[in-house]
Amino acid sequence: MIFRKGQRVEVYRKSDDEGWEGYMDQYVGSHGIITDPDMTINDPDALVEVSLDELGTHRFPQDCLRPLKD
Amino acid sequence: MPATTCPVHTTEMWLDDILRSGRLKHPKSRRIAEEIRQLVDDIAWGRGGPDHLPAVESLGGELVDEGPDDAGVEIGNFIRSAVDDHREVFKSHIETHNCATGDCVKLAPAPCQMACPAGIDVPTYVTLIGHGQDAEAIEVIRKDNPFPWVCGLVCTRPCEFMCVRGRIDTPVSIKFLKAFAAERAFSDRRYENPVRQPDKNRRVGIIGAGPAGMTAAYYLALMGYRVRVIEALPMAGGMMMVGIPRYRLPREVIDREVAMIEALGVEFVFNSRFGVDVTLEQLKKEGFEAFFIAIGAHSSFKLGVPGENDFPEVIDAIELLKNVALGERHMPGKKVVVIGGGNVAIDVARTCIRLGCEEVTIAYRRTRAEMPADEEEVEQAEEEDVKLSFLTVPVEIVGEGGRVTALKCLRAELIARKGSTRKSPVPVEGSDFFMDADAVIPAIGQAVDNGCMQELSGLEWTRRKTIHVGMASMETSLEGVFAAGDAVLGPATVIEAIGGGKKAANSIDRYLSGIPQPKMPPVPVRRGRIDWIEVPASTKMVLKRPEMPLLNIDRRRTTFQQAELGYSENMVREEARRCLRCDICRRCGDCVAVCRDKMGINALQLGYLNFDHPVKTDFRLTEERCIACGACAESCTNGAMRIEDREGERILSLCGIILNRQKLVCCEGCGAVLGPAKYLDYIRKKTGTVAQVSGGHALCEVCSRKKVAVFDSSKPPGG
């Protein structure tokens, strides 16, 4: 698991993963907080739950996220 | 999620432009255009009523039909098409005070509401709880979530992660307030269902009575559909019932909220396995027109280590929790090792303690910092004597005579692999050791058990072995079949399942009504804009999030009684006062900028306004520097910052936080209010001549002029 609960992250790019849908394009560049990290088997492919600032809570593939420095 | 621009806002801007351009020459066109602009402004600012939209349409039609000039006709046509194309958006502004884009700033949801997967209007219900209106708060919550009591006890609370108060000290304890209000509303017999719409005589089948399935059932029943829920277990609740232990979520809580759904006429069929006892074809023949699959993720991942399948004491975590929930109370072993670091691992370990196990250890291959389980749950587990063994990688389950005797493990260290920032646990060679155990319980995650779905051959699955849906509508690849919850997301949260169920209910309604499905997920709807609670700045800063009282440790180790005892009434009312009402203050920072840059005062220390880099906030400092000029309130577009004269004082408040309170000085001549002394000093410094004229007296402009103009006969002319 690369992300932990409460960590600030940025959606820094689109993902090629099937979990990425067209409407998510608008979230690239948004910042948010990990609210439910990968709970299964520390799988880098798992979708993680992110609450974006003012833009709602979504499940994203991990490869489109990067941590923000506090 | 939000559309990029709001048609109401765009319409208003367009009207502004055309009015300013001077193209409207004819007075009649200009008058009607200005009237339309005012009506649209009302809608954009939440002042619109049921007559606003018909009035806009009527005036637009008047311009089209009787427009005295081309520009007027153009406006009429524009208005007509704007309303026709975006009628739902205009109506949502009027009826629900909701602007999906946030362009109409007064109507945009707060961050906590946006963060909630079910979109609950948190500031509204928290404020209602602060006012002591618990049943009204529950009414607001149930517009978006039929399980306020369940969520008040077990929600993972994304809302609290986004709570702006957390940038000052700690987030408002939203979850526990909800639990209190639900319990109180039930206790007062004021927990009521909304009125159901007339029967549509159309049937919807739901597979799975978990949080997603029952949420969809609730909203569909309210819309007037006839709903049947098919459940393999002997009771409703799904993972809430069989996956969450009773010491966190008492069965009575689930039963009471399920009973409310049942009271709407939802039919439950228990002990009925989809694909075995009932099939899709049978349901279609019975007249069901749409289906919702919410079967959850009830099968466990395997460890994949030798010995895993060789001993009966290697127990599936979900199976154990389910059996205990259904009444079995057998200790799995004296020395138990639970493998995993998530909430399920913690739940299993704490359950084992309650079953009488002498030694319970959680083996986790990373460190405490990486544990995905809730911090409070981990702390409570440790208090109950659960041991944690970090950087521990199980490699073999060993036994003798057909019984488990130990878990063979390796120590691990976290190392970043080449080209990755991701740190992975790497076993240290030669570090192997044995943990004594007579039972091993892997709790490393769940998967969807798709056995019951074989009949649905056209159903698409993701590579994660979950049902593939469009997240905006929850539609599957099969027409008329929708899905949500863990079956779609993998093992996720109760509140996500509820959000998915609600979304699916709306999509099913659209499907059965022949309305195209949305391309984007819905935006949370604001349920009101209620008055804030007035709190002095010092109180606002001093109030602290209360600690949750817990059952005594002996009972926690020996019984399944609810461990968290709940807040007292006083705690709840006080905690609600900590809310910053971010549904009203949009944190644009205009007030801070005008005070600092235009007025040169810098009295507002509101560091929490910055999301990424919040700095210090202290509401109390305002009083020291503020001159009560009102520039901040004037610059606030959303009515959050307010300045008012009340009972001889000028009071500056931000969403009810009394930032400054200064005595008013009145004119010595006529008694008119001049403002607070600090403000008058500021004005005198800026306009020295006025101060000279008034000669140190507090006089209004009129009285000052009169004083200067008085003819003094004792002085010679020119003297």
Side-chain angles (χ1 to χ4, degrees), chain B residues 579-611:
Chain B
C579 176
L580 297 173
R581 292 301 304 270
C582 304
D583 57 329
I584 300 177
C585 172
R586 306 299 308 156
R587 298 163 310 290
C588 63
D590 286 354
C591 54
V592 177
V594 78
C595 181
R596 181 188 58 219
D597 305 334
K598 300 275 183 203
M599 302 304 296
I601 309 288
N602 200 15
L604 296 169
Q605 184 158 15
L606 309 180
Y608 70 93
L609 300 183
N610 190 316
F611 175 77

PDB file of all heavy atoms in Angstrom, chain B residues 579-611:
ATOM      1  N   CYS B 579     -19.021  23.459  14.447  1.00  0.00           N
ATOM      2  CA  CYS B 579     -19.139  23.470  12.983  1.00  0.00           C
ATOM      3  C   CYS B 579     -18.930  24.881  12.444  1.00  0.00           C
ATOM      4  O   CYS B 579     -19.453  25.854  12.996  1.00  0.00           O
ATOM      5  CB  CYS B 579     -20.517  22.943  12.591  1.00  0.00           C
ATOM      6  SG  CYS B 579     -20.830  23.004  10.823  1.00  0.00           S
ATOM      7  N   LEU B 580     -18.176  24.993  11.361  1.00  0.00           N
ATOM      8  CA  LEU B 580     -17.859  26.310  10.778  1.00  0.00           C
ATOM      9  C   LEU B 580     -18.871  26.743   9.714  1.00  0.00           C
ATOM     10  O   LEU B 580     -18.736  27.812   9.141  1.00  0.00           O
ATOM     11  CB  LEU B 580     -16.459  26.287  10.162  1.00  0.00           C
ATOM     12  CG  LEU B 580     -15.307  26.027  11.140  1.00  0.00           C
ATOM     13  CD1 LEU B 580     -14.001  25.871  10.374  1.00  0.00           C
ATOM     14  CD2 LEU B 580     -15.183  27.143  12.151  1.00  0.00           C
ATOM     15  N   ARG B 581     -19.834  25.917   9.436  1.00  0.00           N
ATOM     16  CA  ARG B 581     -20.878  26.210   8.450  1.00  0.00           C
ATOM     17  C   ARG B 581     -20.279  26.551   7.076  1.00  0.00           C
ATOM     18  O   ARG B 581     -20.496  27.634   6.516  1.00  0.00           O
ATOM     19  CB  ARG B 581     -21.788  27.333   8.936  1.00  0.00           C
ATOM     20  CG  ARG B 581     -22.640  26.959  10.114  1.00  0.00           C
ATOM     21  CD  ARG B 581     -23.553  25.774   9.825  1.00  0.00           C
ATOM     22  NE  ARG B 581     -24.426  25.961   8.688  1.00  0.00           N
ATOM     23  CZ  ARG B 581     -25.643  26.495   8.760  1.00  0.00           C
ATOM     24  NH1 ARG B 581     -26.125  26.851   9.916  1.00  0.00           N
ATOM     25  NH2 ARG B 581     -26.377  26.630   7.674  1.00  0.00           N
ATOM     26  N   CYS B 582     -19.544  25.590   6.567  1.00  0.00           N
ATOM     27  CA  CYS B 582     -18.893  25.800   5.258  1.00  0.00           C
ATOM     28  C   CYS B 582     -19.888  25.757   4.108  1.00  0.00           C
ATOM     29  O   CYS B 582     -19.505  25.931   2.950  1.00  0.00           O
ATOM     30  CB  CYS B 582     -17.815  24.749   5.051  1.00  0.00           C
ATOM     31  SG  CYS B 582     -16.617  24.769   6.384  1.00  0.00           S
ATOM     32  N   ASP B 583     -21.151  25.487   4.414  1.00  0.00           N
ATOM     33  CA  ASP B 583     -22.165  25.609   3.359  1.00  0.00           C
ATOM     34  C   ASP B 583     -22.464  27.079   3.096  1.00  0.00           C
ATOM     35  O   ASP B 583     -23.033  27.433   2.068  1.00  0.00           O
ATOM     36  CB  ASP B 583     -23.458  24.873   3.747  1.00  0.00           C
ATOM     37  CG  ASP B 583     -24.043  25.360   5.071  1.00  0.00           C
ATOM     38  OD1 ASP B 583     -23.266  25.773   5.955  1.00  0.00           O
ATOM     39  OD2 ASP B 583     -25.279  25.345   5.209  1.00  0.00           O
ATOM     40  N   ILE B 584     -22.071  27.942   4.037  1.00  0.00           N
ATOM     41  CA  ILE B 584     -22.324  29.377   3.852  1.00  0.00           C
ATOM     42  C   ILE B 584     -21.021  30.101   3.542  1.00  0.00           C
ATOM     43  O   ILE B 584     -20.938  30.847   2.565  1.00  0.00           O
ATOM     44  CB  ILE B 584     -23.008  29.959   5.117  1.00  0.00           C
ATOM     45  CG1 ILE B 584     -24.343  29.237   5.345  1.00  0.00           C
ATOM     46  CG2 ILE B 584     -23.237  31.462   4.950  1.00  0.00           C
ATOM     47  CD1 ILE B 584     -25.079  29.652   6.582  1.00  0.00           C
ATOM     48  N   CYS B 585     -19.978  29.898   4.346  1.00  0.00           N
ATOM     49  CA  CYS B 585     -18.675  30.510   4.028  1.00  0.00           C
ATOM     50  C   CYS B 585     -17.968  29.649   2.999  1.00  0.00           C
ATOM     51  O   CYS B 585     -17.688  28.479   3.256  1.00  0.00           O
ATOM     52  CB  CYS B 585     -17.810  30.612   5.277  1.00  0.00           C
ATOM     53  SG  CYS B 585     -16.126  31.146   4.890  1.00  0.00           S
ATOM     54  N   ARG B 586     -17.703  30.201   1.861  1.00  0.00           N
ATOM     55  CA  ARG B 586     -17.091  29.440   0.764  1.00  0.00           C
ATOM     56  C   ARG B 586     -15.567  29.494   0.807  1.00  0.00           C
ATOM     57  O   ARG B 586     -14.892  29.037  -0.084  1.00  0.00           O
ATOM     58  CB  ARG B 586     -17.587  29.970  -0.594  1.00  0.00           C
ATOM     59  CG  ARG B 586     -19.074  30.009  -0.746  1.00  0.00           C
ATOM     60  CD  ARG B 586     -19.720  28.644  -0.623  1.00  0.00           C
ATOM     61  NE  ARG B 586     -19.106  27.676  -1.514  1.00  0.00           N
ATOM     62  CZ  ARG B 586     -19.126  26.366  -1.324  1.00  0.00           C
ATOM     63  NH1 ARG B 586     -19.696  25.867  -0.265  1.00  0.00           N
ATOM     64  NH2 ARG B 586     -18.559  25.549  -2.182  1.00  0.00           N
ATOM     65  N   ARG B 587     -15.009  30.138   1.809  1.00  0.00           N
ATOM     66  CA  ARG B 587     -13.553  30.215   2.009  1.00  0.00           C
ATOM     67  C   ARG B 587     -12.840  30.834   0.802  1.00  0.00           C
ATOM     68  O   ARG B 587     -11.772  30.404   0.415  1.00  0.00           O
ATOM     69  CB  ARG B 587     -12.977  28.830   2.337  1.00  0.00           C
ATOM     70  CG  ARG B 587     -13.530  28.268   3.620  1.00  0.00           C
ATOM     71  CD  ARG B 587     -13.318  26.801   3.766  1.00  0.00           C
ATOM     72  NE  ARG B 587     -13.742  26.033   2.608  1.00  0.00           N
ATOM     73  CZ  ARG B 587     -15.000  25.847   2.246  1.00  0.00           C
ATOM     74  NH1 ARG B 587     -15.990  26.343   2.970  1.00  0.00           N
ATOM     75  NH2 ARG B 587     -15.290  25.184   1.153  1.00  0.00           N
ATOM     76  N   CYS B 588     -13.462  31.867   0.224  1.00  0.00           N
ATOM     77  CA  CYS B 588     -12.854  32.530  -0.933  1.00  0.00           C
ATOM     78  C   CYS B 588     -11.709  33.426  -0.481  1.00  0.00           C
ATOM     79  O   CYS B 588     -10.807  33.733  -1.251  1.00  0.00           O
ATOM     80  CB  CYS B 588     -13.901  33.345  -1.685  1.00  0.00           C
ATOM     81  SG  CYS B 588     -14.604  34.688  -0.692  1.00  0.00           S
ATOM     82  N   GLY B 589     -11.743  33.878   0.758  1.00  0.00           N
ATOM     83  CA  GLY B 589     -10.657  34.711   1.282  1.00  0.00           C
ATOM     84  C   GLY B 589     -10.798  36.183   0.953  1.00  0.00           C
ATOM     85  O   GLY B 589      -9.919  36.985   1.281  1.00  0.00           O
ATOM     86  N   ASP B 590     -11.902  36.583   0.323  1.00  0.00           N
ATOM     87  CA  ASP B 590     -12.083  37.998  -0.038  1.00  0.00           C
ATOM     88  C   ASP B 590     -12.086  38.888   1.209  1.00  0.00           C
ATOM     89  O   ASP B 590     -11.566  40.007   1.198  1.00  0.00           O
ATOM     90  CB  ASP B 590     -13.398  38.201  -0.803  1.00  0.00           C
ATOM     91  CG  ASP B 590     -13.316  37.681  -2.221  1.00  0.00           C
ATOM     92  OD1 ASP B 590     -12.192  37.280  -2.621  1.00  0.00           O
ATOM     93  OD2 ASP B 590     -14.346  37.651  -2.916  1.00  0.00           O
ATOM     94  N   CYS B 591     -12.685  38.393   2.281  1.00  0.00           N
ATOM     95  CA  CYS B 591     -12.759  39.193   3.518  1.00  0.00           C
ATOM     96  C   CYS B 591     -11.356  39.462   4.065  1.00  0.00           C
ATOM     97  O   CYS B 591     -11.031  40.582   4.474  1.00  0.00           O
ATOM     98  CB  CYS B 591     -13.611  38.469   4.555  1.00  0.00           C
ATOM     99  SG  CYS B 591     -13.075  36.779   4.901  1.00  0.00           S
ATOM    100  N   VAL B 592     -10.517  38.425   4.043  1.00  0.00           N
ATOM    101  CA  VAL B 592      -9.145  38.566   4.550  1.00  0.00           C
ATOM    102  C   VAL B 592      -8.385  39.565   3.680  1.00  0.00           C
ATOM    103  O   VAL B 592      -7.684  40.452   4.181  1.00  0.00           O
ATOM    104  CB  VAL B 592      -8.424  37.192   4.556  1.00  0.00           C
ATOM    105  CG1 VAL B 592      -6.979  37.347   5.001  1.00  0.00           C
ATOM    106  CG2 VAL B 592      -9.151  36.218   5.469  1.00  0.00           C
ATOM    107  N   ALA B 593      -8.553  39.416   2.368  1.00  0.00           N
ATOM    108  CA  ALA B 593      -7.804  40.271   1.437  1.00  0.00           C
ATOM    109  C   ALA B 593      -8.205  41.737   1.584  1.00  0.00           C
ATOM    110  O   ALA B 593      -7.351  42.632   1.621  1.00  0.00           O
ATOM    111  CB  ALA B 593      -8.037  39.794   0.003  1.00  0.00           C
ATOM    112  N   VAL B 594      -9.498  41.996   1.695  1.00  0.00           N
ATOM    113  CA  VAL B 594      -9.936  43.394   1.765  1.00  0.00           C
ATOM    114  C   VAL B 594      -9.487  44.030   3.085  1.00  0.00           C
ATOM    115  O   VAL B 594      -9.077  45.195   3.122  1.00  0.00           O
ATOM    116  CB  VAL B 594     -11.467  43.506   1.538  1.00  0.00           C
ATOM    117  CG1 VAL B 594     -12.277  43.122   2.774  1.00  0.00           C
ATOM    118  CG2 VAL B 594     -11.855  44.903   1.114  1.00  0.00           C
ATOM    119  N   CYS B 595      -9.525  43.261   4.157  1.00  0.00           N
ATOM    120  CA  CYS B 595      -9.117  43.790   5.468  1.00  0.00           C
ATOM    121  C   CYS B 595      -7.607  44.089   5.479  1.00  0.00           C
ATOM    122  O   CYS B 595      -7.169  45.113   5.980  1.00  0.00           O
ATOM    123  CB  CYS B 595      -9.470  42.775   6.553  1.00  0.00           C
ATOM    124  SG  CYS B 595      -9.044  43.296   8.203  1.00  0.00           S
ATOM    125  N   ARG B 596      -6.854  43.178   4.883  1.00  0.00           N
ATOM    126  CA  ARG B 596      -5.397  43.322   4.898  1.00  0.00           C
ATOM    127  C   ARG B 596      -4.916  44.329   3.839  1.00  0.00           C
ATOM    128  O   ARG B 596      -4.164  45.253   4.144  1.00  0.00           O
ATOM    129  CB  ARG B 596      -4.761  41.948   4.634  1.00  0.00           C
ATOM    130  CG  ARG B 596      -3.246  41.922   4.642  1.00  0.00           C
ATOM    131  CD  ARG B 596      -2.753  40.564   4.165  1.00  0.00           C
ATOM    132  NE  ARG B 596      -3.259  40.277   2.819  1.00  0.00           N
ATOM    133  CZ  ARG B 596      -3.676  39.086   2.418  1.00  0.00           C
ATOM    134  NH1 ARG B 596      -3.657  38.056   3.230  1.00  0.00           N
ATOM    135  NH2 ARG B 596      -4.125  38.925   1.177  1.00  0.00           N
ATOM    136  N   ASP B 597      -5.406  44.164   2.605  1.00  0.00           N
ATOM    137  CA  ASP B 597      -4.842  44.929   1.500  1.00  0.00           C
ATOM    138  C   ASP B 597      -5.509  46.284   1.282  1.00  0.00           C
ATOM    139  O   ASP B 597      -4.852  47.260   0.950  1.00  0.00           O
ATOM    140  CB  ASP B 597      -4.916  44.109   0.201  1.00  0.00           C
ATOM    141  CG  ASP B 597      -4.241  42.749   0.378  1.00  0.00           C
ATOM    142  OD1 ASP B 597      -3.345  42.657   1.247  1.00  0.00           O
ATOM    143  OD2 ASP B 597      -4.623  41.801  -0.316  1.00  0.00           O
ATOM    144  N   LYS B 598      -6.814  46.339   1.420  1.00  0.00           N
ATOM    145  CA  LYS B 598      -7.507  47.603   1.155  1.00  0.00           C
ATOM    146  C   LYS B 598      -7.563  48.479   2.392  1.00  0.00           C
ATOM    147  O   LYS B 598      -7.339  49.674   2.345  1.00  0.00           O
ATOM    148  CB  LYS B 598      -8.942  47.332   0.671  1.00  0.00           C
ATOM    149  CG  LYS B 598      -9.039  46.516  -0.589  1.00  0.00           C
ATOM    150  CD  LYS B 598      -8.924  47.381  -1.806  1.00  0.00           C
ATOM    151  CE  LYS B 598      -9.114  46.532  -3.074  1.00  0.00           C
ATOM    152  NZ  LYS B 598      -8.514  47.121  -4.247  1.00  0.00           N
ATOM    153  N   MET B 599      -7.889  47.854   3.531  1.00  0.00           N
ATOM    154  CA  MET B 599      -8.047  48.650   4.747  1.00  0.00           C
ATOM    155  C   MET B 599      -6.743  48.772   5.530  1.00  0.00           C
ATOM    156  O   MET B 599      -6.599  49.657   6.375  1.00  0.00           O
ATOM    157  CB  MET B 599      -9.127  48.031   5.661  1.00  0.00           C
ATOM    158  CG  MET B 599     -10.493  47.892   5.029  1.00  0.00           C
ATOM    159  SD  MET B 599     -11.144  49.459   4.409  1.00  0.00           S
ATOM    160  CE  MET B 599     -11.308  50.397   5.922  1.00  0.00           C
ATOM    161  N   GLY B 600      -5.807  47.845   5.274  1.00  0.00           N
ATOM    162  CA  GLY B 600      -4.526  47.885   5.979  1.00  0.00           C
ATOM    163  C   GLY B 600      -4.644  47.506   7.448  1.00  0.00           C
ATOM    164  O   GLY B 600      -3.814  47.886   8.271  1.00  0.00           O
ATOM    165  N   ILE B 601      -5.677  46.743   7.802  1.00  0.00           N
ATOM    166  CA  ILE B 601      -5.920  46.382   9.211  1.00  0.00           C
ATOM    167  C   ILE B 601      -5.372  44.987   9.526  1.00  0.00           C
ATOM    168  O   ILE B 601      -4.723  44.782  10.545  1.00  0.00           O
ATOM    169  CB  ILE B 601      -7.444  46.391   9.534  1.00  0.00           C
ATOM    170  CG1 ILE B 601      -8.081  47.707   9.081  1.00  0.00           C
ATOM    171  CG2 ILE B 601      -7.681  46.116  11.013  1.00  0.00           C
ATOM    172  CD1 ILE B 601      -7.723  48.895   9.907  1.00  0.00           C
ATOM    173  N   ASN B 602      -5.658  44.046   8.666  1.00  0.00           N
ATOM    174  CA  ASN B 602      -5.221  42.650   8.824  1.00  0.00           C
ATOM    175  C   ASN B 602      -5.726  42.048  10.141  1.00  0.00           C
ATOM    176  O   ASN B 602      -4.951  41.520  10.940  1.00  0.00           O
ATOM    177  CB  ASN B 602      -3.694  42.578   8.763  1.00  0.00           C
ATOM    178  CG  ASN B 602      -3.213  41.172   8.435  1.00  0.00           C
ATOM    179  OD1 ASN B 602      -3.999  40.334   7.997  1.00  0.00           O
ATOM    180  ND2 ASN B 602      -1.938  40.905   8.673  1.00  0.00           N
ATOM    181  N   ALA B 603      -7.026  42.131  10.326  1.00  0.00           N
ATOM    182  CA  ALA B 603      -7.600  41.644  11.590  1.00  0.00           C
ATOM    183  C   ALA B 603      -8.100  40.207  11.505  1.00  0.00           C
ATOM    184  O   ALA B 603      -8.489  39.650  12.519  1.00  0.00           O
ATOM    185  CB  ALA B 603      -8.757  42.548  12.002  1.00  0.00           C
ATOM    186  N   LEU B 604      -8.118  39.639  10.313  1.00  0.00           N
ATOM    187  CA  LEU B 604      -8.707  38.302  10.172  1.00  0.00           C
ATOM    188  C   LEU B 604      -7.621  37.248  10.023  1.00  0.00           C
ATOM    189  O   LEU B 604      -6.970  37.173   8.981  1.00  0.00           O
ATOM    190  CB  LEU B 604      -9.652  38.273   8.967  1.00  0.00           C
ATOM    191  CG  LEU B 604     -10.876  39.182   9.089  1.00  0.00           C
ATOM    192  CD1 LEU B 604     -11.594  39.294   7.748  1.00  0.00           C
ATOM    193  CD2 LEU B 604     -11.834  38.689  10.154  1.00  0.00           C
ATOM    194  N   GLN B 605      -7.418  36.489  11.070  1.00  0.00           N
ATOM    195  CA  GLN B 605      -6.430  35.415  10.997  1.00  0.00           C
ATOM    196  C   GLN B 605      -7.164  34.099  10.759  1.00  0.00           C
ATOM    197  O   GLN B 605      -7.506  33.375  11.693  1.00  0.00           O
ATOM    198  CB  GLN B 605      -5.625  35.339  12.277  1.00  0.00           C
ATOM    199  CG  GLN B 605      -4.537  34.286  12.155  1.00  0.00           C
ATOM    200  CD  GLN B 605      -3.391  34.505  13.116  1.00  0.00           C
ATOM    201  OE1 GLN B 605      -3.497  35.265  14.057  1.00  0.00           O
ATOM    202  NE2 GLN B 605      -2.285  33.839  12.864  1.00  0.00           N
ATOM    203  N   LEU B 606      -7.421  33.830   9.495  1.00  0.00           N
ATOM    204  CA  LEU B 606      -8.228  32.663   9.120  1.00  0.00           C
ATOM    205  C   LEU B 606      -7.384  31.731   8.257  1.00  0.00           C
ATOM    206  O   LEU B 606      -7.635  31.539   7.067  1.00  0.00           O
ATOM    207  CB  LEU B 606      -9.483  33.109   8.362  1.00  0.00           C
ATOM    208  CG  LEU B 606     -10.327  34.214   9.023  1.00  0.00           C
ATOM    209  CD1 LEU B 606     -11.529  34.564   8.159  1.00  0.00           C
ATOM    210  CD2 LEU B 606     -10.796  33.783  10.412  1.00  0.00           C
ATOM    211  N   GLY B 607      -6.374  31.152   8.874  1.00  0.00           N
ATOM    212  CA  GLY B 607      -5.426  30.306   8.146  1.00  0.00           C
ATOM    213  C   GLY B 607      -6.070  29.068   7.553  1.00  0.00           C
ATOM    214  O   GLY B 607      -5.531  28.474   6.616  1.00  0.00           O
ATOM    215  N   TYR B 608      -7.221  28.673   8.070  1.00  0.00           N
ATOM    216  CA  TYR B 608      -7.860  27.446   7.588  1.00  0.00           C
ATOM    217  C   TYR B 608      -8.422  27.602   6.187  1.00  0.00           C
ATOM    218  O   TYR B 608      -8.836  26.618   5.567  1.00  0.00           O
ATOM    219  CB  TYR B 608      -8.979  27.028   8.554  1.00  0.00           C
ATOM    220  CG  TYR B 608     -10.179  27.934   8.552  1.00  0.00           C
ATOM    221  CD1 TYR B 608     -11.277  27.684   7.731  1.00  0.00           C
ATOM    222  CD2 TYR B 608     -10.236  29.050   9.364  1.00  0.00           C
ATOM    223  CE1 TYR B 608     -12.383  28.514   7.727  1.00  0.00           C
ATOM    224  CE2 TYR B 608     -11.336  29.891   9.379  1.00  0.00           C
ATOM    225  CZ  TYR B 608     -12.406  29.610   8.550  1.00  0.00           C
ATOM    226  OH  TYR B 608     -13.499  30.440   8.554  1.00  0.00           O
ATOM    227  N   LEU B 609      -8.451  28.814   5.676  1.00  0.00           N
ATOM    228  CA  LEU B 609      -9.016  29.009   4.344  1.00  0.00           C
ATOM    229  C   LEU B 609      -8.208  28.299   3.264  1.00  0.00           C
ATOM    230  O   LEU B 609      -8.722  27.989   2.199  1.00  0.00           O
ATOM    231  CB  LEU B 609      -9.116  30.504   4.008  1.00  0.00           C
ATOM    232  CG  LEU B 609      -9.999  31.351   4.943  1.00  0.00           C
ATOM    233  CD1 LEU B 609     -10.066  32.786   4.471  1.00  0.00           C
ATOM    234  CD2 LEU B 609     -11.402  30.780   5.042  1.00  0.00           C
ATOM    235  N   ASN B 610      -6.933  28.034   3.548  1.00  0.00           N
ATOM    236  CA  ASN B 610      -6.085  27.373   2.559  1.00  0.00           C
ATOM    237  C   ASN B 610      -6.168  25.860   2.745  1.00  0.00           C
ATOM    238  O   ASN B 610      -5.879  25.341   3.814  1.00  0.00           O
ATOM    239  CB  ASN B 610      -4.636  27.851   2.735  1.00  0.00           C
ATOM    240  CG  ASN B 610      -3.744  27.396   1.592  1.00  0.00           C
ATOM    241  OD1 ASN B 610      -3.815  26.255   1.160  1.00  0.00           O
ATOM    242  ND2 ASN B 610      -2.908  28.308   1.128  1.00  0.00           N
ATOM    243  N   PHE B 611      -6.567  25.151   1.688  1.00  0.00           N
ATOM    244  CA  PHE B 611      -6.750  23.699   1.793  1.00  0.00           C
ATOM    245  C   PHE B 611      -5.418  22.962   1.927  1.00  0.00           C
ATOM    246  O   PHE B 611      -5.249  22.125   2.805  1.00  0.00           O
ATOM    247  CB  PHE B 611      -7.497  23.183   0.553  1.00  0.00           C
ATOM    248  CG  PHE B 611      -7.619  21.676   0.508  1.00  0.00           C
ATOM    249  CD1 PHE B 611      -8.547  21.027   1.310  1.00  0.00           C
ATOM    250  CD2 PHE B 611      -6.818  20.914  -0.319  1.00  0.00           C
ATOM    251  CE1 PHE B 611      -8.654  19.640   1.282  1.00  0.00           C
ATOM    252  CE2 PHE B 611      -6.920  19.526  -0.350  1.00  0.00           C
ATOM    253  CZ  PHE B 611      -7.850  18.896   0.443  1.00  0.00           C
TER     254      PHE B 611
END
